Amino acid sequence: MLETLDAAAVRRWCASGLAALQRHQGEIDDLNVYPVPDGDTGTNLVLTLTSAQQALAMDLETLPDDGHTPHGHALRLMARGALLGARGNSGVILSQILRGFADALAAAPAVRGRQLTAALADAVTAAYAAVAHPVEGTLLTVVAAAARAAEQADTDDLRAVARAAAGGAARALARTPEQLPELARAGVVDAGGRGLCLLLDALVEVVTGESPARPAPAPPAARPPATAVRETGSPAYAYEVQYLLDANDEAVARLRGELDGLGDSLVIVGDGGTWNVHVHVNDVGAAVEAGVVAGRPHRITVTRFADQVAPAAPLPAPLPDGRAAVVVATGAGIAELFGAEGATVVPANPSTGELLDAIRATGAARVVVLPNDPNTQSVASAAAREAHRLGVKVSVVPTRSPVQALAALAVRDPKRRFEDDVIAMAEAAGACRYAEVCHASREALTVAGPCRPGDVLALVEGEVHLIGADLLDTCTAMVDRMLGGGGELVTLLCGADAPAGLADRVREHVERSWPFVEVQAYEGGQPHYPLLVGVE
């Protein structure tokens, strides 16, 4: 049993936590309640903590010259490795939890109960700051409960605090279905919270030498009737404003209050005096002016969500003036399309470090990143912050589908200022409505009604709009529904498992039913989704 947490214990905690996540990886993946075949929270947590362990293994002896203790140095290595290896929202949040631990304990002479309590409080702050719209009943709720339980223990006994935190987290995890109706209807607990409980139980085992005896959460119900809600800002606000800000903590606290009164989707994340500010507003000038009052804003980007743009012009072949584009995508055909546009392609679900390597490999001083997936956007933002420290200016255009990235790349113009070019790309991506067709991987109750495994699902802008039995009929019905709202250009990307001739038959349908609409069809080769559709 340990009275303090030393560097060796930190390394054992990381290894034990990783082993626990690996044992339960499939179980956590199965807690995904969305009925499409891409639930991967367990996998993302394993990959994130694997990177943390690798960072620890690569630096066993050296200590920095900044006064940090051996345990503080180990925690910083663990947090840094997790950040660079973070995959998906769950991985990014976990990396911020570890960063909160490292920041609180780096210079502490010894880590006993009260120091661990303070570290958990800092971890909560960092985790909530990493999420644009904190939702209770998730990993955030579980880490906050762990911190409260540690504080209520009110002791300097490290073992007692570790046990209290793990117990509080386990109780909060069991209550997550009461906070999120989607979880309750599915009969599951939150996947990210389950992963954090395993990590805290591993800490208890390292500190006490005893493995907490806890019953495993109930498996998913045989027919989980749930569809996860995807977080978006209110449609009442027309602009997204983002900038980096050099300011002190007091000024940022005032800024947070001012921006909160101007709009929604507010998140301000900082590190060492530089802050990343994001907000949705109607008054762009007021949002930027508030930043000027608080400090020195730079890398200001403004995205107008609803603007329409002119038809896409051909992309100039060269990439002059030190500019480049990095695109996240899977599928040989999609990769070839992006490569022809001069972009560097990174396979889907990358880590922060993999994206950072791709950014640096371009050799460009100004890079735009197109994540093509809501779950990859936080990873792309983390990679952009890391690149900024290395002197590379990176802007992330929040594309959610490869068809939006194609629209964005088509309007690039090297004659424009980089900032103006990024705005134009964001506008083009936002003007491209996207949809995807897949087969349901499980039974669920969607906004379009119940589905069974094997049913054809048509998702428009991330929500299930149609459920069918025939792939072609569902595809054509989905395109008709999208064109009913207007459109001049339809882009079709056929997946690896699409039946032969699917794109041709959808094209023929559009030409018959919508004679003034242009159709472009490509072999995308993407897994899981037989057809991706973009309408501009």
Side-chain angles (χ1 to χ4, degrees):
M1 293 190 292
L2 300 179
E3 294 185 359
T4 64
L5 190 71
D6 57 18
V10 170
R11 297 178 188 280
R12 292 199 302 275
W13 175 37
C14 186
S16 179
L18 175 58
L21 287 172
Q22 289 171 330
R23 288 194 302 271
H24 296 273
Q25 179 176 339
E27 169 205 320
I28 298 174
D29 281 343
D30 287 343
L31 293 176
N32 175 52
V33 296
Y34 205 70
V36 297
D38 57 4
D40 54 5
T41 298
T43 301
N44 285 341
L45 290 173
V46 166
L47 292 171
T48 299
L49 206 60
T50 295
S51 181
Q53 188 182 46
Q54 289 171 345
L56 283 169
M58 291 172 62
D59 192 344
L60 294 173
E61 303 296 338
T62 61
L63 287 176
D65 297 326
D66 55 8
H68 292 155
T69 58
H71 64 260
H73 181 52
L75 285 166
R76 283 200 177 278
L77 288 172
M78 186 176 172
R80 175 72 172 173
L83 173 64
L84 294 179
R87 296 176 190 258
N89 289 334
S90 56
V92 170
I93 294 173
L94 176 59
S95 75
Q96 294 304 294
I97 290 172
L98 295 176
R99 194 202 81 188
F101 265 78
D103 288 348
L105 301 176
V111 180
R112 295 188 174 87
R114 299 198 188 281
Q115 287 77 27
L116 180 57
T117 298
L120 283 164
D122 281 12
V124 172
T125 301
Y128 273 85
V131 179
H133 292 287
V135 175
E136 297 307 323
T138 65
L139 169 56
L140 298 174
T141 303
V142 176
V143 71
R148 286 194 300 272
E151 184 177 10
Q152 291 166 2
D154 192 24
T155 177
D156 209 30
D157 185 325
L158 177 65
R159 293 159 293 185
V161 171
R163 288 192 183 103
R171 292 189 293 273
L173 177 68
R175 292 193 300 269
T176 55
E178 301 171 14
Q179 297 167 294
L180 276 181
E182 295 85 0
L183 297 176
R185 289 195 298 268
V188 298
V189 295
D190 178 70
R194 171 62 170 149
L196 180 66
C197 285
L198 291 171
L199 195 58
L200 291 176
D201 282 345
L203 179 62
V204 171
E205 187 173 358
V206 167
V207 170
T208 67
E210 304 169 357
S211 179
R214 304 190 200 283
R223 299 184 59 181
T227 297
V229 176
R230 299 197 176 183
E231 298 175 352
T232 58
S234 167
Y237 299 104
Y239 298 90
E240 177 189 58
V241 178
Q242 292 179 275
Y243 49 82
L244 292 179
L245 179 70
D246 296 334
N248 60 38
D249 293 359
E250 184 178 347
V252 169
R254 291 194 298 268
L255 174 66
R256 195 183 300 274
E258 292 182 32
L259 293 182
D260 189 50
L262 289 175
D264 70 357
S265 297
L266 174 64
V267 58
I268 303 179
V269 179
D271 186 5
T274 298
W275 306 80
N276 192 316
V277 180
H278 171 282
V279 67
H280 292 180
V281 296
N282 286 325
D283 191 340
V284 174
V288 175
E289 184 178 349
V292 172
V293 172
R296 185 180 74 86
H298 50 104
R299 285 181 57 197
I300 301 170
T301 62
V302 179
T303 300
R304 186 162 43 205
F305 295 119
D307 266 7
Q308 298 294 320
V309 298
L315 178 70
L319 288 171
D321 200 22
R323 297 189 192 184
V326 174
V327 186
V328 179
T330 293
I334 292 177
E336 185 175 345
L337 286 171
F338 288 138
E341 300 285 9
T344 298
V345 180
V346 178
N349 198 30
S351 68
T352 306
E354 288 169 344
L355 264 183
L356 181 60
D357 288 344
I359 291 168
R360 297 179 66 184
T362 65
R366 288 171 288 184
V367 179
V368 62
V369 176
L370 307 171
N372 292 338
D373 180 353
N375 204 37
T376 303
Q377 188 171 335
S378 55
V379 175
S381 297
R385 291 192 294 271
E386 292 300 307
H388 177 71
R389 296 190 180 99
L390 301 173
V392 182
K393 188 173 189 177
V394 178
S395 290
V396 178
V397 175
T399 52
R400 292 171 172 257
S401 170
V403 293
Q404 289 188 317
L406 288 172
L409 289 171
V411 302
R412 276 193 303 173
D413 185 352
K415 297 178 182 178
R416 283 192 291 242
R417 287 192 322 126
F418 177 69
E419 292 78 5
D420 294 336
D421 208 27
V422 171
I423 291 173
M425 294 175 71
E427 290 176 339
C432 178
R433 286 169 288 141
Y434 68 95
E436 51 208 5
V437 178
C438 67
H439 290 90
S441 61
R442 63 191 71 207
E443 294 182 354
L445 179 62
T446 76
V447 295
C451 69
R452 295 178 178 274
D455 284 350
V456 181
L457 305 181
L459 296 89
V460 180
E461 304 285 338
E463 292 291 350
V464 177
H465 277 224
L466 294 169
I467 301 173
D470 182 81
L471 178 61
L472 177 62
D473 290 346
T474 306
C475 289
T476 55
M478 178 185 70
V479 173
D480 286 342
R481 179 167 294 195
M482 295 179 73
L483 287 174
E488 299 176 351
L489 173 65
V490 173
T491 301
L492 306 175
L493 296 177
C494 271
D497 300 326
L502 177 65
D504 290 337
R505 298 178 71 180
V506 174
R507 181 207 295 271
E508 292 168 0
H509 171 81
V510 173
E511 290 174 346
R512 286 194 307 269
S513 303
W514 307 89
F516 299 106
V517 174
E518 179 184 354
V519 182
Q520 296 178 345
Y522 306 96
E523 292 296 329
Q526 69 274 4
H528 304 313
Y529 298 94
L531 190 68
L532 301 179
V533 179
V535 174
E536 302 173 57

